[in-house]
Amino acid sequence: MTVMKYGQAIDYALGETMARDDDVLTWGEDVMLIHRDLLARFGPERVRDTPISESAFLYAGIGAAMAGLRPVVEIMLVDFLAVAWSGIANAASKFRDFSGGSWEVPLVVRAGCGGWYTDGGQHVQTLWGQLSAYPNINVVCPSTPADAAGLMLTAVQSDEVVVFLEHQLLSEQWIDYLGGGSRATVSFDRLVPADGAEGDVPLPLEPLPLGQAALRREGSDVALISLGVGAHRCLEAAEALASSGIEASVLDLRCVSPLDGNAVIEQARKAGRVVVVDEDYVRGGLTGEIAALLLEAGVTTKYARVAVEGTIPFAPHLEYAALPNADRIAAAVKGLE
Amino acid sequence: MTVMKYGQAIDYALGETMARDDDVLTWGEDVMLIHRDLLARFGPERVRDTPISESAFLYAGIGAAMAGLRPVVEIMLVDFLAVAWSGIANAASKFRDFSGGSWEVPLVVRAGCGGWYTDGGQHVQTLWGQLSAYPNINVVCPSTPADAAGLMLTAVQSDEVVVFLEHQLLSEQWIDYLGGGSRATVSFDRLVPADGAEGDVPLPLEPLPLGQAALRREGSDVALISLGVGAHRCLEAAEALASSGIEASVLDLRCVSPLDGNAVIEQARKAGRVVVVDEDYVRGGLTGEIAALLLEAGVTTKYARVAVEGTIPFAPHLEYAALPNADRIAAAVKGLE
Amino acid sequence: MFDESGAPACRTDSLISVGDRVLAGDPVLPTGDPVLFSASLCGAPTRSRISEAGMGLPTGFDPAAAFRAMVRMRLVDEALARAWADGLVPGEYHSGIGEEGIVAGVLGHLTGRDSMALDHRNTSAFVGRGTDITALMLEVMGSEDGLNSGWAGHMHLMDPGIPAAADGIVGASGPLAVGQAIAHARLRPGRVAVAFHGEGAMNQGMLMESYNLAVAWNLPVLFVCKDNRWSITTRATDVTGGDVVKRASSFGLTVEKVRGDRVEEVHRAAGRLIARARTGQGPGFLYAGCHRPGGHFEGDPIVRLLRSPLRQAEEWGPSIVRSAGAKTGGSRHDRIAAAKVLAGRVARAARDYTARTRMDPVKRGRRLLDQAAAERIESLEHHLVDQAMSDARGAVGPRPTFGVVRGGPR
Amino acid sequence: MFDESGAPACRTDSLISVGDRVLAGDPVLPTGDPVLFSASLCGAPTRSRISEAGMGLPTGFDPAAAFRAMVRMRLVDEALARAWADGLVPGEYHSGIGEEGIVAGVLGHLTGRDSMALDHRNTSAFVGRGTDITALMLEVMGSEDGLNSGWAGHMHLMDPGIPAAADGIVGASGPLAVGQAIAHARLRPGRVAVAFHGEGAMNQGMLMESYNLAVAWNLPVLFVCKDNRWSITTRATDVTGGDVVKRASSFGLTVEKVRGDRVEEVHRAAGRLIARARTGQGPGFLYAGCHRPGGHFEGDPIVRLLRSPLRQAEEWGPSIVRSAGAKTGGSRHDRIAAAKVLAGRVARAARDYTARTRMDPVKRGRRLLDQAAAERIESLEHHLVDQAMSDARGAVGPRPTFGVVRGGPR
Ligand SMILES: Cc1ncc(C[n+]2csc(CCOP(=O)(O)OP(=O)(O)O)c2C)c(N)n1
Ligand SMILES: Cc1ncc(C[n+]2csc(CCOP(=O)(O)OP(=O)(O)O)c2C)c(N)n1
Ligand SMILES: [Mg+2]
Ligand SMILES: [Mg+2]
């Protein structure tokens, strides 16, 4: 057990797999500087800067994975994955099926996602709902260093495609890289969930199976379901609600796909009230899928969603209001009464 | 009122707007041959072949729309839109908001979508759920020539971005273009919904407002909700169900976004049973969104979904089984009993 | 022989080896043809199996082996085109007829775990590298007994044994081959990856990106541009700026330009580029012109027009004429320009389809052999391919509407 | 004056015109400066307003106007960089310091409805074309009173009045400008669209696609590549094959290559290319080298390292050393190679940041004027920009955590 930061935990897990398996390597824009510790340990053949050619180097990851490597392809921010979308939509998600099941694509796509630190509507999306629409694409977004390490271990060892989204607000690497580190005049303390950004990581690392939600808080009045920073916002809201006598459970899905439907249904059954909190867009994100799971299972429940309703504005106070913050969550819960 | 084919109706509507408004023009791969009638009438400046550069010519459409034109950018099949996804995800959907509401993007993105005619998993997707995830993107997929004409008229006249999806199975242009026209040995008659492929178009054309569903069939036992070819499959299934004494209503949404939530809720309330039939993937498509609408509205209903569960296989019988066919729909309805 | 790696270490009971057994001992047709005896026919090759012999040096040209490969490619494509016309192949079918010289010329250098990334026009490359042709035919015909259990169809054929993967997204073969090359460089130095693509694909961003990436990382990859002048119904030069060979070269790729109907020329140039790539001297770009007499895909509308002008004119003519004369619309100038575009396109197509039919690589390749040897190869390959197709047809049966059992107009 | 289109037809009460009012009558600084008097300051221009005068001919170079534009760009960027450091600008800020010569040289030719598509490093282009600088500053500071009501931030600034749009997706400025050029060609012949982008962007597929499209359609567009050698922390030549000027030229673009710190050189070359574009002779590509002393964005980690090596070494050093010495990991060779990469990167950055600081276009541009005139311009521009920034600061106030009122660590 040791204390790690969120980004550090991911790189730690990646480093451990790289040490064990020569076929694991990583490339992406600026990875040599961002992951300088991995570079120092494994050398420039296995930690490699790319040109700003997301399509080519993502498709190259697919080709390399099918030819024997286990690439971890880093796309700085998930928004930029849009320029390489075909690699996900038409290739990574399809090739195993096209081959009739005979050819695996052991690929990890790593990208930052999420807002709260103010970078404008093209740099703070999550897109996780859409990514998980495609067949054979696993999508994870951990909310703590321990989960981040465990899920990265699983991702790299998996023979399937895993999109590993690291939340930019939790990642000290991204916050620092984007210039934050050099000015004392700005503090993200009010915004960064402290035990998401830093926390205990059990050693030796264990892979964390995909599709297992974690119950972060017990509570019988309402079930808050989320992941990533959203899980922390739910906990914030739960504290506030507790003071008005409402006990909320908080379920951290950890994976968007596969999605832990059983855990969702269990919490919904218990509480009879569900609020899905999603940093993705209201359409095509988590909220609809969870509603469908509930209806399919015949669970009778009240339901509300707190998600991103439109373009995420740049101005920090507008961004804060547009993201699923604790106030919005608490209001949604109260709206269910 | 005149009888038109589906693709013909779309081009008719486009032609009428082009005749009225010099700023309307269209470009895309092979449009000069595919839309040879428009070319003959408006000339090569307004109907223009592009290189195979979807990203560039979609972004160019955005730039042109912001600089005074009303481009109809054709991306052969929606699957290929994935190579230009950033144009949707980061630009077309965002620029009006980024401008603080001061700059419109009057753009139509036209693309074929959908399966049943056997073209393999990279050529038969619909992706409409994902497209409608983004802010400010309207997404339509008409199921009849009349709707196709009315919606195209609306799309071109709109100051917003409209993704106009024409279903490949309904479009005589696509079926012919993909070689079908030259062999008498293959018939799509069993597969093509006859009154989707050809039908009356009221003249003079009236724009069909976005977000208005059409009730194609009344029935009080179960509500089938779909669009595109799916609406026809629902009607097929409804006929079959009727013979076992189950009366199904069929709601054709016509637009994925904006979605006619009121109509959905009304049908669901009436029947107390809903089957959503979606040619998009089960995740991130229509089915989840409709479930969320129902739960949010507090409608008590049984619910099932018939959608695409994974990669769409190439082999026609496998493809047929993977798509939401009438048998699957009827089975889902019976599963709700 | 296509290279010096010697006779393959295994025999299988595939149709191809039946052909070879018949051929065994024939001095003109040596048995050790790695192009037609691919890894996939011999089970998954182990690393040790890969002979490094010949890697790094251009390999010798064997006209008989090249001709034989081309004949087989041609026959398989023709058989599939017929099956398509007979309603046995669902969807589109993009034949490689006319491009065999390019594919065979390049494949003559590939051995062992050399890999390929392909586009929608891929049959000949699979055939040339030894994919089981019955399995391939069954796949293209949409059978669950096909190479990919009916999941791929002809645009997404996958043969991990070669390894070779096809992707129907134009331009994707480039970066996929780059990825294969990254793996080669780490896991099996000396191996190359080959990307085949059309000239139209050269305007697809990811392909250009992949040229750059290959050079920046100095990868063992060869990009082969088969310029058949058209992308579907668009003449490539109408939508392409500059010269594509210069374009490739500007990325720092080593380029060669050849006539694609001369397999020996292709073989020579490809050999130089592949030798450089194998020895770590960087990626190459081979440009080869060719002609596709069958059009973009079977049923190509322009080919239909050229073959049955009256019928097609009847079909297209009335509405074009009506549109051109519509009361509202573009100016006279616009409409005349449109007529010119349409007429010009057809005229150019007609010119290409008459003048360029001479560019048949199989016919040309035949002249490299003596008559008797050529005939023997042809008859054996005919036998082989006919057999495969008749097996495939037998397996799928007549299958009205391809075995779709329900569905119908309301 | 930057061009011959004469004095602007309107005055506004914007800060810029305040500056101009002060300057009115000054013989060195004529009032009719369309670069700083953009369309947007004069309300939406009508088509008739657009003077065709001078279109088609390279326009004369006016050192004072160019210097004045550069000074204003520099001052605005410096003011915003300070505001960033003071915690008043949220997120990233990419200043254009060091690139003013390129931007001013090109903008000297733009008038009326000539349009621009920009990337993340866009402030100077907006400033140069006359976007209200207070509104711009407020936008960058995340105020609802900003140019785009706080929705854009500095990476997505939009000024429909110019028109000019910025897109934070690398490479997107190219095809966006192509689209603007399509509209120009139809709606306002003679107008040009300009895309500014970096050298790193030249590896982004859509930008290359847009070069091709511009040539294939013969569009009035100018691509301007500002080569500052780096894309964030990656040295462009490490990831780029071939020569980017040849690359652009291979698409059929007419290219010119200049030193970006010499505004007069930029102006001359841009004039030739823009004149061609305006007169339907096709698109151009202007390549201009430059240096960005502030790094990629404010707080750039490499700049931090160069400025405070000890502090940064303390921060990065221990874990790098630990990693390099880890029990498991790459070979000795790998680790040495890694150390070389890291050291090499820093060394090259250090070299660039010392040797290339001489490449200051503003300092160089100053020498084109007599001392007194330069000083006058500087003082007036200082006044102007200081005023704007103090207004902007006043408007947003101290705003701890940028006005986010809730949220906090659990
Ligand atoms: C990204 C993408 N855009 C469009 C298509 C449709 N399409 C298939 S083949 C083709 C033409 C390709 O031309 P070329 O690269 O010259 O190859 P050829 O067919 O001539 O061999 C097009 C446009 C596609 N498959 N993928
Ligand atoms: C598609 C995409 N990929 C990556 C990024 C992240 N990014 C922003 S600026 C930049 C470097 C751009 O380099 P260059 O084009 O040389 O412009 P410069 O910043 O040097 O002016 C990168 C990689 C992005 N914004 N968009
Ligand atoms: Mg071609
Ligand atoms: Mg740069």
Side-chain angles (χ1 to χ4, degrees), chain B residues 181-196:
Chain B
S182 71
R183 52 177 175 174
T185 45
V186 171
S187 157
F188 290 105
D189 285 354
R190 291 175 70 113
L191 286 168
V192 176
D195 48 7

PDB file of all heavy atoms in Angstrom, chain B residues 181-196:
ATOM      1  N   GLY B 181     -28.554  -2.308 -59.919  1.00  0.00           N
ATOM      2  CA  GLY B 181     -29.312  -2.103 -61.136  1.00  0.00           C
ATOM      3  C   GLY B 181     -28.894  -2.985 -62.288  1.00  0.00           C
ATOM      4  O   GLY B 181     -29.638  -3.152 -63.254  1.00  0.00           O
ATOM      5  N   SER B 182     -27.718  -3.568 -62.211  1.00  0.00           N
ATOM      6  CA  SER B 182     -27.227  -4.250 -63.396  1.00  0.00           C
ATOM      7  C   SER B 182     -27.380  -5.769 -63.339  1.00  0.00           C
ATOM      8  O   SER B 182     -26.905  -6.458 -64.217  1.00  0.00           O
ATOM      9  CB  SER B 182     -25.773  -3.894 -63.630  1.00  0.00           C
ATOM     10  OG  SER B 182     -24.989  -4.504 -62.639  1.00  0.00           O
ATOM     11  N   ARG B 183     -27.964  -6.256 -62.300  1.00  0.00           N
ATOM     12  CA  ARG B 183     -28.165  -7.701 -62.314  1.00  0.00           C
ATOM     13  C   ARG B 183     -29.613  -8.037 -61.968  1.00  0.00           C
ATOM     14  O   ARG B 183     -30.147  -7.580 -60.965  1.00  0.00           O
ATOM     15  CB  ARG B 183     -27.194  -8.445 -61.407  1.00  0.00           C
ATOM     16  CG  ARG B 183     -27.110  -7.938 -59.969  1.00  0.00           C
ATOM     17  CD  ARG B 183     -26.160  -8.826 -59.153  1.00  0.00           C
ATOM     18  NE  ARG B 183     -25.975  -8.281 -57.806  1.00  0.00           N
ATOM     19  CZ  ARG B 183     -25.305  -8.909 -56.846  1.00  0.00           C
ATOM     20  NH1 ARG B 183     -24.746 -10.073 -57.069  1.00  0.00           N
ATOM     21  NH2 ARG B 183     -25.185  -8.360 -55.648  1.00  0.00           N
ATOM     22  N   ALA B 184     -30.175  -8.846 -62.840  1.00  0.00           N
ATOM     23  CA  ALA B 184     -31.562  -9.241 -62.632  1.00  0.00           C
ATOM     24  C   ALA B 184     -31.635 -10.419 -61.675  1.00  0.00           C
ATOM     25  O   ALA B 184     -32.712 -10.822 -61.245  1.00  0.00           O
ATOM     26  CB  ALA B 184     -32.187  -9.612 -63.969  1.00  0.00           C
ATOM     27  N   THR B 185     -30.466 -10.931 -61.326  1.00  0.00           N
ATOM     28  CA  THR B 185     -30.431 -12.157 -60.529  1.00  0.00           C
ATOM     29  C   THR B 185     -30.677 -11.903 -59.049  1.00  0.00           C
ATOM     30  O   THR B 185     -30.822 -12.847 -58.278  1.00  0.00           O
ATOM     31  CB  THR B 185     -29.057 -12.817 -60.672  1.00  0.00           C
ATOM     32  OG1 THR B 185     -28.059 -11.792 -60.543  1.00  0.00           O
ATOM     33  CG2 THR B 185     -28.928 -13.480 -62.030  1.00  0.00           C
ATOM     34  N   VAL B 186     -30.632 -10.638 -58.668  1.00  0.00           N
ATOM     35  CA  VAL B 186     -30.855 -10.347 -57.257  1.00  0.00           C
ATOM     36  C   VAL B 186     -32.053  -9.428 -57.144  1.00  0.00           C
ATOM     37  O   VAL B 186     -32.166  -8.451 -57.888  1.00  0.00           O
ATOM     38  CB  VAL B 186     -29.620  -9.661 -56.631  1.00  0.00           C
ATOM     39  CG1 VAL B 186     -29.945  -9.170 -55.234  1.00  0.00           C
ATOM     40  CG2 VAL B 186     -28.454 -10.614 -56.600  1.00  0.00           C
ATOM     41  N   SER B 187     -32.919  -9.736 -56.242  1.00  0.00           N
ATOM     42  CA  SER B 187     -34.069  -8.878 -56.039  1.00  0.00           C
ATOM     43  C   SER B 187     -34.127  -8.482 -54.576  1.00  0.00           C
ATOM     44  O   SER B 187     -33.933  -9.310 -53.683  1.00  0.00           O
ATOM     45  CB  SER B 187     -35.339  -9.621 -56.426  1.00  0.00           C
ATOM     46  OG  SER B 187     -36.428  -9.037 -55.761  1.00  0.00           O
ATOM     47  N   PHE B 188     -34.350  -7.218 -54.349  1.00  0.00           N
ATOM     48  CA  PHE B 188     -34.501  -6.751 -52.971  1.00  0.00           C
ATOM     49  C   PHE B 188     -35.980  -6.631 -52.588  1.00  0.00           C
ATOM     50  O   PHE B 188     -36.296  -6.080 -51.546  1.00  0.00           O
ATOM     51  CB  PHE B 188     -33.782  -5.412 -52.789  1.00  0.00           C
ATOM     52  CG  PHE B 188     -32.285  -5.518 -52.834  1.00  0.00           C
ATOM     53  CD1 PHE B 188     -31.567  -5.108 -53.943  1.00  0.00           C
ATOM     54  CD2 PHE B 188     -31.582  -6.048 -51.757  1.00  0.00           C
ATOM     55  CE1 PHE B 188     -30.186  -5.211 -53.984  1.00  0.00           C
ATOM     56  CE2 PHE B 188     -30.206  -6.153 -51.793  1.00  0.00           C
ATOM     57  CZ  PHE B 188     -29.496  -5.744 -52.910  1.00  0.00           C
ATOM     58  N   ASP B 189     -36.831  -7.136 -53.475  1.00  0.00           N
ATOM     59  CA  ASP B 189     -38.266  -6.956 -53.250  1.00  0.00           C
ATOM     60  C   ASP B 189     -38.738  -7.444 -51.887  1.00  0.00           C
ATOM     61  O   ASP B 189     -39.594  -6.840 -51.256  1.00  0.00           O
ATOM     62  CB  ASP B 189     -39.073  -7.687 -54.327  1.00  0.00           C
ATOM     63  CG  ASP B 189     -39.020  -6.925 -55.642  1.00  0.00           C
ATOM     64  OD1 ASP B 189     -38.457  -5.813 -55.644  1.00  0.00           O
ATOM     65  OD2 ASP B 189     -39.515  -7.455 -56.649  1.00  0.00           O
ATOM     66  N   ARG B 190     -38.200  -8.542 -51.464  1.00  0.00           N
ATOM     67  CA  ARG B 190     -38.629  -9.065 -50.165  1.00  0.00           C
ATOM     68  C   ARG B 190     -38.183  -8.167 -49.024  1.00  0.00           C
ATOM     69  O   ARG B 190     -38.713  -8.249 -47.930  1.00  0.00           O
ATOM     70  CB  ARG B 190     -38.008 -10.447 -49.932  1.00  0.00           C
ATOM     71  CG  ARG B 190     -38.534 -11.530 -50.833  1.00  0.00           C
ATOM     72  CD  ARG B 190     -37.750 -12.798 -50.575  1.00  0.00           C
ATOM     73  NE  ARG B 190     -38.072 -13.330 -49.262  1.00  0.00           N
ATOM     74  CZ  ARG B 190     -38.713 -14.485 -49.076  1.00  0.00           C
ATOM     75  NH1 ARG B 190     -39.094 -15.201 -50.102  1.00  0.00           N
ATOM     76  NH2 ARG B 190     -38.978 -14.903 -47.857  1.00  0.00           N
ATOM     77  N   LEU B 191     -37.155  -7.397 -49.297  1.00  0.00           N
ATOM     78  CA  LEU B 191     -36.568  -6.612 -48.210  1.00  0.00           C
ATOM     79  C   LEU B 191     -36.992  -5.148 -48.224  1.00  0.00           C
ATOM     80  O   LEU B 191     -37.073  -4.508 -47.182  1.00  0.00           O
ATOM     81  CB  LEU B 191     -35.034  -6.679 -48.303  1.00  0.00           C
ATOM     82  CG  LEU B 191     -34.423  -8.002 -47.884  1.00  0.00           C
ATOM     83  CD1 LEU B 191     -32.961  -8.047 -48.291  1.00  0.00           C
ATOM     84  CD2 LEU B 191     -34.564  -8.183 -46.375  1.00  0.00           C
ATOM     85  N   VAL B 192     -37.196  -4.620 -49.422  1.00  0.00           N
ATOM     86  CA  VAL B 192     -37.473  -3.185 -49.517  1.00  0.00           C
ATOM     87  C   VAL B 192     -38.930  -2.910 -49.176  1.00  0.00           C
ATOM     88  O   VAL B 192     -39.825  -3.453 -49.806  1.00  0.00           O
ATOM     89  CB  VAL B 192     -37.177  -2.669 -50.937  1.00  0.00           C
ATOM     90  CG1 VAL B 192     -37.569  -1.196 -51.040  1.00  0.00           C
ATOM     91  CG2 VAL B 192     -35.718  -2.860 -51.291  1.00  0.00           C
ATOM     92  N   PRO B 193     -39.180  -2.064 -48.208  1.00  0.00           N
ATOM     93  CA  PRO B 193     -40.558  -1.679 -47.905  1.00  0.00           C
ATOM     94  C   PRO B 193     -41.097  -0.848 -49.074  1.00  0.00           C
ATOM     95  O   PRO B 193     -40.590   0.239 -49.358  1.00  0.00           O
ATOM     96  CB  PRO B 193     -40.424  -0.818 -46.654  1.00  0.00           C
ATOM     97  CG  PRO B 193     -39.050  -1.088 -46.119  1.00  0.00           C
ATOM     98  CD  PRO B 193     -38.201  -1.452 -47.286  1.00  0.00           C
ATOM     99  N   ALA B 194     -42.119  -1.394 -49.737  1.00  0.00           N
ATOM    100  CA  ALA B 194     -42.544  -0.805 -51.007  1.00  0.00           C
ATOM    101  C   ALA B 194     -42.952   0.660 -50.852  1.00  0.00           C
ATOM    102  O   ALA B 194     -42.538   1.514 -51.636  1.00  0.00           O
ATOM    103  CB  ALA B 194     -43.693  -1.625 -51.577  1.00  0.00           C
ATOM    104  N   ASP B 195     -43.743   0.972 -49.839  1.00  0.00           N
ATOM    105  CA  ASP B 195     -44.175   2.367 -49.780  1.00  0.00           C
ATOM    106  C   ASP B 195     -43.193   3.266 -49.041  1.00  0.00           C
ATOM    107  O   ASP B 195     -43.456   4.446 -48.819  1.00  0.00           O
ATOM    108  CB  ASP B 195     -45.606   2.508 -49.231  1.00  0.00           C
ATOM    109  CG  ASP B 195     -45.787   1.709 -47.966  1.00  0.00           C
ATOM    110  OD1 ASP B 195     -44.770   1.178 -47.460  1.00  0.00           O
ATOM    111  OD2 ASP B 195     -46.914   1.625 -47.477  1.00  0.00           O
ATOM    112  N   GLY B 196     -42.049   2.698 -48.685  1.00  0.00           N
ATOM    113  CA  GLY B 196     -40.950   3.544 -48.253  1.00  0.00           C
ATOM    114  C   GLY B 196     -40.118   3.954 -49.450  1.00  0.00           C
ATOM    115  O   GLY B 196     -39.595   5.065 -49.531  1.00  0.00           O
TER     116      GLY B 196
END
